[in-house]
Amino acid sequence: MEEDTDFGIRFSSLCFINEHVGFQGTIKSSPGDFIVIEIDEQGQLVDKAIDEPINAISKIPEVKDFSKKPKLDFQKLSFEGGSYQELNTLSKCSDGDQNHQPDSEKEDTISDRTSKCEEEKADVLSFVLDEKTNELLNQFACDIKERWNSETELIGPSPEFSLGRILDKNQRAILHSAIRQKFPFLITIGKNSEIIIKPNLEYKELCHLVSEEEARDFFKYLDAKKENSKFTFKPDINKDHRKAVHHFVNKKFGNLVETKSFPEQNYGAGDSNIVITVRFREKIKHRKRSLLECQEREVIYTAFTLRKENLEMFEAVGFLAIKLGVIPSDFSYAGLKDKKAITYQAMVVRKVTPERLKNIEKEIEKKRMNVFNIRSVGKSLRLGQLKGNHFDIIIRNLQNQINDSANLKERIFEAVENVKDKGFVNYYGPQRFGKGRKVHTDQIGLALLKNEVVKAIKLFFTPEDLDDPVNRAKKYFLQTEDAKGTLSLMPEFKVRERALLESLHRFGMTEEGCIQAWFSFPHSMRIFYVHAYSSKIWNEAASYRLETYGSRVVEGDLVCLDEDVDEHFPSSKVHLVTEEEASANTYAIHQVVLPVLGYNIQYPRNQVGQWYHEILNRDGLQTCRFKVPPLKLNVPGCYRQILKHAHNLSYQLMGDHDVRMEGSHIDESTLSLLISFDLDASCYATVCLREIMKYDI
């Protein structure tokens, strides 16, 4: 396994835009030396208290009447030129839980209920289809079952039967459901108003694992999509067999349902009979709801300000999720924040009331977290939904660069004023890549882009050269690939590691198992690794561009024509500099942008563009489309300005014990610099400080 152990050298090779000498110093001596406060879209610091009670609910916007027809309800069937009686029995057949119980009386009840369902479905088919078509459909279904029962393999293309074109949309919907309910071993496909019927090969595959009765009822359950219902397979004492059933259901229908194992209720505590229960995932909307239902079922969103100290953001979110009984993807935020710092940021959590969040305040204080400004809101936050960040930073142990004998205070004033005037190179900060680690986030991102999901897992679990519980657990996993054993070693607070291990224990260390494991992370976390790779390439491209052409704008450069843009502006705002424009100095260096890798960007048409293509070839991405379908990752790309400026920059020299000194009375041996500034979203304070100090932090 390749390891990039020289990240410091890699980052220090990036060039500067200013020519001052700079100075040395120490940042982040303690979290209190590095304070980050998010600035919201209205330009307000989020650490300020909001005068609003915690149970205040924001006004729900008025919902207009739905113009589309609601999804067909079998209780209210109607056609042009005729009507059909209400099918109350049909609706009842998919209500509540579908459980297989050992009690013979209850089995009879289920059997009776199922037969009634099939009778109703048969009536629907008889009503909608003509006699000949209905007869041919039944014959096709019988032929498929006979071939399956005789173990005859289906050779060549899968057999199919067409009902022909049915122009009425409601009739098509009725037929799709009626056929799948009556013949769950068949599937229906719509194509240009035509309904095509084929064997359901997944049904046959499930029949190798469970009884046909269970397979039949399971597929009926799936088709009914009854909200809040669940399906339970028969009790099973064989752990390996249960694992196979779990794997099948999650592999085939994991985006629709979830499975869990529970002890069978009718058995004593000493018995080992376990049942697998299937239920629909909450995010699936099975039918369109009326206006009243939409208002009654309005998702709860609670906004708050999170203050954390010396804590990684994903770790903080994982801890909050555990305490609130939700999952990490229920949290939304505008941006990521530093670990070794005191940070304030806005967050929104779904499915949690303000009162419930208020109740865990004392518990999370032990984890160096606080929540305040708790209030109800109407929707989640999205990444980038902020104006920027405010920083209050103390740089300690100030001293001259090696072999520089100039006055230290003058060097500091020169450096800060230079960057205040000319700006800094807008590199992504080292914390984006996991500074100080053997394996960096960009390496994991590259593996994911190349669909090397197993390698990405192993990179994630690469241990550091430290003898602590976390790294001992990682080392054990790489040696054994024993996810269950590693779980017993991995500390509880390592939420991401444990989430991956639990999935790997369930699905195995195969390619498919690793794909499922990555889905234990929310989308924002999966895409973070890919973005880290794109960010690393952007850093190298920006340094190459400045080393090659300096501060002049040349032919083939890309410039942004809009003065006030964020990082995610469209290609329509990007202009390719012509030879005439370059000669006339039409544009300035602060307008030049470079692409962040993705499928929807254009490259500069000069040496920099050629450099991009060479790098992609080097990394094996020459044919990469920047889409990873198995992980549902799409990376359109964007553009980023080469230079940025700090806003509202102020600074003051002070004693190292936070006692502010005046003028020549400062003792340089204990000199510290207090510096404050605002940066636009997606800019890094450590990068700004690197430009000021000319010293790798």
Side-chain angles (χ1 to χ4, degrees):
M1 185 183 301
E2 294 181 6
E3 293 179 356
D4 183 0
T5 58
D6 217 358
F7 182 75
I9 294 174
R10 186 174 71 176
F11 201 81
S12 66
S13 66
L14 302 177
C15 72
F16 300 95
I17 193 67
N18 291 280
E19 297 180 355
H20 60 263
V21 175
F23 56 93
Q24 297 184 17
T26 305
I27 69 165
K28 298 189 176 181
S29 296
S30 69
D33 282 357
F34 202 94
I35 298 175
V36 187
I37 307 171
E38 200 168 84
I39 305 171
D40 65 21
E41 289 183 307
Q42 288 71 46
Q44 301 298 312
L45 297 174
V46 301
D47 67 328
K48 305 301 180 187
I50 298 174
D51 296 326
E52 185 176 353
I54 67 162
N55 59 352
I57 299 176
S58 58
K59 185 178 179 182
I60 298 173
E62 184 177 343
V63 183
K64 296 182 180 179
D65 292 338
F66 296 109
S67 57
K68 295 182 179 179
K69 295 179 181 178
K71 192 171 181 179
L72 183 68
D73 188 338
F74 271 105
Q75 290 180 318
K76 298 178 181 177
L77 291 177
S78 63
F79 310 111
E80 289 184 25
S83 61
Y84 194 66
Q85 66 184 23
E86 291 187 359
L87 300 178
N88 291 322
T89 313
L90 185 63
S91 174
K92 290 175 184 174
C93 286
S94 58
D95 281 349
D97 299 349
Q98 297 186 27
N99 293 307
H100 292 276
Q101 301 180 33
D103 190 301
S104 59
E105 184 178 331
K106 292 185 178 179
E107 284 184 350
D108 292 340
T109 304
I110 291 173
S111 177
D112 292 343
R113 189 170 61 183
T114 303
S115 63
K116 287 179 182 177
C117 274
E118 291 174 350
E119 287 174 13
E120 296 291 357
K121 292 296 180 185
D123 289 342
V124 172
L125 294 174
S126 300
F127 180 81
V128 179
L129 300 175
D130 62 70
E131 185 176 349
K132 182 179 179 182
T133 304
N134 198 17
E135 185 178 328
L136 290 172
L137 170 61
N138 280 281
Q139 185 59 51
F140 176 78
C142 288
D143 289 345
I144 296 298
K145 285 303 291 291
E146 284 177 5
R147 293 175 75 172
W148 280 359
N149 291 337
S150 65
E151 299 295 328
T152 304
E153 290 296 323
L154 297 174
I155 301 172
S158 178
E160 59 183 52
F161 176 76
S162 174
L163 295 182
R165 296 190 69 198
I166 298 169
L167 299 180
D168 186 277
K169 186 177 179 181
N170 283 347
Q171 274 191 307
R172 290 201 305 273
I174 291 168
L175 283 169
H176 277 295
S177 185
I179 292 167
R180 292 195 302 261
Q181 285 288 322
K182 183 179 180 184
F183 307 113
F185 54 89
L186 301 178
I187 57 172
T188 59
I189 301 168
K191 185 177 181 182
N192 298 326
S193 301
E194 180 185 8
I195 294 180
I196 298 171
I197 303 164
K198 294 183 176 183
N200 185 347
L201 299 181
E202 291 169 345
Y203 179 96
K204 185 179 181 183
E205 188 176 346
L206 183 59
C207 284
H208 292 308
L209 296 173
V210 300
S211 68
E212 185 168 355
E213 178 192 5
E214 289 175 280
R216 179 195 66 200
D217 289 347
F218 173 72
F219 277 94
K220 286 186 177 184
Y221 163 79
L222 281 185
D223 180 64
K225 294 185 175 69
K226 185 67 177 176
E227 195 169 7
N228 297 323
S229 66
K230 59 186 177 183
F231 176 87
T232 303
F233 287 100
K234 289 180 179 178
D236 188 351
I237 61 172
N238 188 319
K239 184 177 180 180
D240 290 336
H241 182 258
R242 293 197 306 270
K243 190 173 182 179
V245 175
H246 277 297
H247 182 73
F248 172 84
V249 175
N250 283 285
K251 180 180 178 181
K252 301 292 186 181
F253 312 104
N255 62 334
L256 184 67
V257 297
E258 58 186 354
T259 63
K260 287 190 177 181
S261 292
F262 297 99
E264 165 61 345
Q265 292 179 358
N266 293 339
Y267 284 77
D271 294 312
S272 58
N273 269 28
I274 303 293
V275 294
I276 298 174
T277 295
V278 184
R279 66 178 183 181
F280 287 104
R281 295 186 182 277
E282 287 187 19
K283 65 180 180 180
I284 300 298
K285 294 182 179 179
H286 309 303
R287 59 186 178 84
K288 292 181 181 177
R289 297 168 179 160
S290 67
L291 176 61
L292 180 61
E293 284 179 311
C294 284
Q295 290 173 338
E296 287 177 349
R297 297 171 182 263
E298 192 75 29
V299 177
I300 298 169
Y301 294 96
T302 296
F304 60 97
T305 296
L306 172 68
R307 178 196 184 275
K308 63 179 181 65
E309 179 178 339
N310 200 28
L311 196 63
E312 193 179 61
M313 203 197 78
F314 290 135
E315 187 179 334
V317 168
F319 186 78
L320 288 171
I322 291 171
K323 292 300 177 184
L324 292 168
V326 294
I327 56 178
S329 57
D330 285 322
F331 289 83
S332 57
Y333 37 83
L336 305 179
K337 297 291 178 279
D338 299 74
K339 176 185 177 181
K340 193 171 182 181
I342 295 175
T343 67
Y344 298 81
Q345 66 188 114
M347 279 199 173
V348 173
V349 59
R350 296 171 64 242
K351 299 181 287 189
V352 174
T353 64
E355 291 79 11
R356 189 167 159 205
L357 181 57
K358 187 79 173 172
N359 287 339
I360 68 164
E361 282 184 305
K362 294 295 183 186
E363 284 186 80
I364 65 175
E365 283 178 6
K366 302 171 187 175
K367 198 73 175 172
R368 303 180 304 281
M369 287 191 286
N370 302 94
V371 290
F372 56 99
N373 290 339
I374 302 170
R375 62 206 183 277
S376 292
V377 292
K379 58 183 178 181
S380 297
L381 282 170
R382 67 179 188 280
L383 282 172
Q385 193 177 341
L386 73 165
K387 190 171 183 180
N389 293 284
H390 172 79
F391 298 88
D392 292 317
I393 298 168
I394 298 174
I395 307 173
R396 300 188 185 275
N397 307 317
L398 298 175
Q399 53 186 302
N400 289 80
Q401 300 280 25
I402 297 173
N403 298 324
D404 178 31
S405 58
N407 182 279
L408 177 58
K409 287 185 291 180
E410 290 179 2
R411 287 294 194 216
I412 293 170
F413 295 149
E414 173 196 36
V416 176
E417 290 297 331
N418 245 354
V419 172
K420 189 175 182 179
D421 180 48
K422 296 180 182 178
F424 59 94
V425 187
N426 192 23
Y427 297 122
Y428 290 95
Q431 61 268 47
R432 191 174 183 93
F433 312 104
K435 181 180 178 183
R437 296 177 183 169
K438 272 190 177 181
V439 172
H440 302 112
T441 54
D442 60 276
Q443 294 170 272
I444 298 173
L446 176 58
L448 292 177
L449 278 173
K450 295 166 78 171
N451 278 298
E452 297 173 343
V453 290
V454 178
K455 179 181 178 180
I457 290 285
K458 291 181 178 179
L459 286 170
F460 182 89
F461 281 106
T462 299
E464 305 300 322
D465 293 326
L466 298 170
D467 187 26
D468 58 46
V470 173
N471 287 292
R472 284 197 294 271
K474 288 182 175 181
K475 186 176 181 180
Y476 174 80
F477 178 76
L478 288 188
Q479 290 173 341
T480 65
E481 295 186 2
D482 174 13
K484 184 178 181 181
T486 310
L487 265 173
S488 66
L489 299 173
M490 187 65 68
E492 291 287 338
F493 70 88
K494 301 303 287 184
V495 178
R496 280 182 293 168
E497 286 80 354
R498 292 186 64 83
L500 279 181
L501 290 167
E502 285 169 359
S503 289
L504 291 171
H505 171 52
R506 185 171 181 179
F507 299 110
M509 193 60 185
T510 62
E511 183 173 351
E512 181 64 32
C514 289
I515 289 172
Q516 292 295 332
W518 281 112
F519 274 104
S520 67
F521 285 5
H523 179 270
S524 60
M525 203 180 294
R526 297 197 303 277
I527 201 75
F528 168 78
Y529 292 102
V530 176
H531 285 166
Y533 172 75
S534 299
S535 302
K536 174 205 152 190
I537 300 304
W538 190 95
N539 279 1
E540 294 174 2
S543 187
Y544 178 82
R545 163 64 182 78
L546 291 170
E547 288 174 344
T548 305
Y549 297 118
S551 296
R552 60 193 176 95
V553 181
V554 301
E555 180 184 1
D557 271 338
L558 300 174
V559 294
C560 179
L561 303 179
D562 197 328
E563 289 293 325
D564 186 24
V565 293
D566 60 16
E567 189 172 314
H568 303 285
F569 52 88
S571 293
S572 60
K573 291 188 177 181
V574 174
H575 172 71
L576 191 69
V577 176
T578 65
E579 182 181 0
E580 294 77 13
E581 290 168 335
S583 300
N585 295 321
T586 306
Y587 302 105
I589 186 65
H590 72 270
Q591 293 175 284
V592 175
V593 299
L594 287 174
V596 180
L597 294 174
Y599 60 78
N600 194 29
I601 51 125
Q602 61 173 314
Y603 295 101
R605 294 186 186 173
N606 49 32
Q607 291 183 51
V608 180
Q610 181 62 33
W611 178 92
Y612 268 102
H613 293 297
E614 290 172 359
I615 291 297
L616 291 176
N617 285 334
R618 179 199 72 185
D619 290 345
L621 296 176
Q622 57 269 39
T623 60
C624 179
R625 298 179 59 201
F626 290 92
K627 295 182 179 182
V628 190
L631 296 178
K632 297 185 179 178
L633 297 178
N634 294 315
V635 189
C638 58
Y639 300 90
R640 185 175 175 90
Q641 291 170 299
I642 288 183
L643 297 186
K644 278 288 189 178
H645 282 79
H647 311 293
N648 304 317
L649 191 153
S650 63
Y651 58 99
Q652 184 176 1
L653 288 169
M654 51 189 243
D656 202 31
H657 298 291
D658 297 350
V659 179
R660 299 188 180 186
M661 315 294 284
E662 296 293 336
S664 60
H665 298 295
I666 299 176
D667 179 1
E668 289 192 356
S669 65
T670 59
L671 197 62
S672 294
L673 176 67
L674 171 62
I675 185 167
S676 299
F677 50 82
D678 299 339
L679 292 180
D680 294 337
S682 194
C683 292
Y684 290 79
T686 48
V687 171
C688 179
L689 294 177
R690 176 181 180 270
E691 186 81 42
I692 291 172
M693 298 168 68
K694 291 291 187 73
Y695 178 71
D696 282 304
I697 299 163

